[in-house]
Amino acid sequence: MATLPGKVLVAPKAHVEDVVSRFSEDGYLRMMQAVRRVALAVEEVLAPERVYLLSLGSCQGNPHVHWHVAALPPGVPYEQQQFHALMAEHGVADVPSGETKRIAAELRQRLV
C-alpha cells in the first residue's frame, strides 16, 4: 500500500532483525550501497523534489530489516511532506497499473 508513486523496499536476502547491530560493518556498508543505488535510480526515473530513506519495522510486527525509498513529487505542500506523506492514514498512491509497470521497468533497467 504505497503512499507515494514508485516507493521501493530494499531488504537484505538474509534474515536480519536489527538495522545496525546485526550486520557486520562490511555487510552494513554493502547494504547501504544498495539502498543508495536504488535511491539514485528513483531520482532518475521520478525526478522527485526529495527522496526519503527510512528503515522501519519492529520485532513485534515486521522483524525483517528493510529500507523504504520513497520519492516525494515536486509541489507537495510542506504540511503534507515527511511522515505525513508516508502514512497510509492519509491515503495511498492512486497510480494506474500501467504506470506502475513503467516505473518498475525503468528502475529495473537502471539497476541491472
Side-chain angles (χ1 to χ4, degrees):
M1 301 302 291
T3 58
L4 294 170
K7 183 176 177 189
V8 179
L9 292 180
V10 181
K13 289 181 182 179
H15 178 69
V16 178
E17 290 189 11
D18 185 272
V19 72
V20 178
S21 65
R22 298 300 170 114
F23 283 97
S24 67
E25 184 172 347
D26 184 56
Y28 181 81
L29 293 174
R30 283 194 326 267
M31 192 71 229
M32 293 313 298
Q33 286 175 330
V35 170
R36 182 175 185 271
R37 283 187 65 228
V38 170
L40 289 170
V42 165
E43 282 184 348
E44 287 180 28
V45 171
L46 296 168
E49 176 177 310
R50 178 174 296 273
V51 172
Y52 296 138
L53 301 178
L54 297 96
S55 179
L56 300 172
S58 164
C59 289
Q60 297 173 9
N62 184 351
H64 188 74
V65 166
H66 56 284
W67 278 265
H68 297 252
V69 179
L72 181 71
V76 174
Y78 181 71
E79 62 276 0
Q80 295 174 19
Q81 296 181 16
Q82 301 178 49
F83 289 117
H84 186 282
L86 299 169
M87 295 172 60
E89 292 88 347
H90 301 293
V92 296
D94 184 21
V95 183
S97 66
E99 178 66 3
T100 299
K101 288 177 185 176
R102 181 195 67 75
I103 292 169
E106 287 190 36
L107 289 172
R108 202 173 297 116
Q109 260 183 342
R110 284 164 174 79
L111 294 168
V112 175

